[in-house]
Amino acid sequence: MIEVLRIGQRLVRDDRVTTHVALVSRAFGASRIYMNEVNPEIKETIYKVNKTWGGKFKIEFIEDWRKLLKSKKKESVKIVHLTMYGEGINHIQKKLADEKEILIVVGAEKVPREVYDYADYNVAVGNQPHSEISALAIVLDRIQQGRQFDVKYDNARLEIIPSEKGKNVRDKSD
Ligand code: SAM
């Protein structure tokens, strides 16, 4: 079971990035994302995606991410904080893949020092600054080794039939 926590966002400027963090979490196999300081419309956007393309991905707005991290630690969920200052993903991916329950933490702006201490793993996807969207996608893929792309949802309205050329989509409500 993998969940994601996104801490903070730069108001307005980050709306689209936040939506993409949620879309990647959903499409790459996480079951839930916790967020603070976000535009509440994101829930509607992502639940519309669920309705069309299936799954049960959840968005939960939280007031206090410290409280969440504390309670997850009590439940023995492993905290994986993505930061360019952490240990390299190539070295740590096997350990992460063996963990049963994981909460992946990504930042928007400067992440408070204490998150580094809460984390069981501080993980870098390369030691260059880039983006929470790309870091999250790569870590979710390394943990699940592509298995997330084989999942099919019973409750999807639309289903893509992969094709070499063009778009082939089955509408299951027809
Ligand atoms: N300057 C901020 C800091 O020092 O915390 C980082 C801002 S960055 C745009 C937003 C988030 O992207 C970070 O909090 C981290 O989760 C993720 N990120 C960016 N580069 C990364 C990297 N090389 N490895 C892992 N995560 C990264």
Side-chain angles (χ1 to χ4, degrees):
M1 200 267 292
I2 307 177
E3 296 181 329
V4 176
L5 163 64
R6 188 176 192 243
I7 294 179
Q9 85 158 6
R10 291 159 290 194
L11 283 179
V12 185
R13 193 174 137 200
D14 269 356
D15 262 10
R16 197 147 178 275
V17 177
T18 305
T19 305
H20 284 204
V21 169
L23 283 170
V24 163
S25 301
R26 175 187 172 277
F28 283 63
S31 53
R32 179 185 303 258
I33 187 165
Y34 300 93
M35 295 176 156
N36 63 348
E37 300 170 19
V38 298
N39 181 342
E41 280 171 23
I42 190 173
K43 234 183 202 173
E44 211 179 300
T45 307
I46 301 296
Y47 288 173
K48 261 190 203 158
V49 177
N50 280 353
K51 224 172 160 193
T52 308
W53 299 102
K56 294 184 198 149
F57 182 76
K58 291 264 176 323
I59 295 194
E60 200 171 318
F61 297 145
I62 55 165
E63 293 289 324
D64 186 346
W65 54 261
R66 288 176 184 83
K67 213 165 130 190
L68 179 76
L69 288 180
K70 272 184 202 153
S71 78
K72 290 288 173 185
K73 273 191 98 74
K74 259 193 204 148
E75 294 163 19
S76 303
V77 175
K78 296 296 173 191
I79 311 293
V80 177
H81 170 224
L82 304 190
T83 163
M84 66 188 212
Y85 304 102
E87 292 181 88
I89 181 68
N90 288 347
H91 299 291
I92 215 154
Q93 65 187 45
K94 271 206 188 97
K95 275 192 196 164
L96 299 185
D98 284 343
E99 298 292 0
K100 292 216 161 29
E101 290 187 282
I102 286 180
L103 178 70
I104 300 177
V105 185
V106 295
E109 43 197 341
K110 197 169 164 51
V111 171
R113 169 70 227 177
E114 56 195 301
V115 175
Y116 292 75
D117 298 327
Y118 275 119
D120 297 286
Y121 302 98
N122 286 293
V123 178
V125 180
N127 298 116
Q128 300 293 327
H130 48 91
S131 127
E132 56 268 49
I133 304 170
S134 58
L136 180 62
I138 285 173
V139 167
L140 285 170
D141 190 58
R142 293 288 182 95
I143 292 173
Q144 299 168 101
Q145 291 148 36
R147 289 189 302 274
Q148 71 277 17
F149 300 134
D150 296 328
V151 172
K152 289 220 185 296
Y153 299 122
D154 292 340
N155 62 342
R157 182 173 69 76
L158 297 183
E159 191 181 277
I160 290 174
I161 318 293
S163 61
E164 210 175 312
K165 286 185 183 169
K167 299 179 184 175
N168 193 357
V169 181
R170 187 159 73 103
D171 190 333
K172 301 205 281 189
S173 61
D174 284 346

